[in-house]
Amino acid sequence: MRPVHREWLASLGDTLIMSGPTDAGGAVLVFEAADAAGVQALLDADPFVTDGRVVAARSVVGWTVVLGRLKDAL
């Protein structure tokens, strides 16, 4: 299942800024999108979601980058 999920992530092109697993058993995905609703719709097609057994919960929130070394890169 993970290879299919990663293939799907790779297919998102520049929309996906970065992603990866956390040490708490979850993952963080950062997208560039117009709004959270668009990201919600995008994530509905994730094989980890469509499988119905992998994603137990998710949270999509907006984020404004203010400081940090990658601030100007986004």
Side-chain angles (χ1 to χ4, degrees):
M1 176 59 61
R2 181 166 287 132
V4 175
H5 166 71
R6 288 189 174 167
E7 183 177 312
W8 176 79
L9 288 172
S11 78
L12 298 176
D14 291 341
T15 302
L16 178 66
I17 304 300
M18 63 182 96
S19 70
T22 68
D23 59 3
V28 174
L29 292 84
V30 178
F31 294 91
E32 183 171 5
D35 54 37
V39 174
Q40 289 274 17
L42 186 67
L43 289 172
D44 286 341
D46 181 346
F48 272 7
V49 172
T50 60
D51 176 76
R53 297 176 294 163
V54 179
V55 176
R58 74 178 185 211
S59 178
V60 176
V61 297
W63 179 38
T64 302
V65 179
V66 176
L67 295 171
R69 65 183 175 92
L70 296 178
K71 179 184 82 64
D72 294 328
L74 301 176

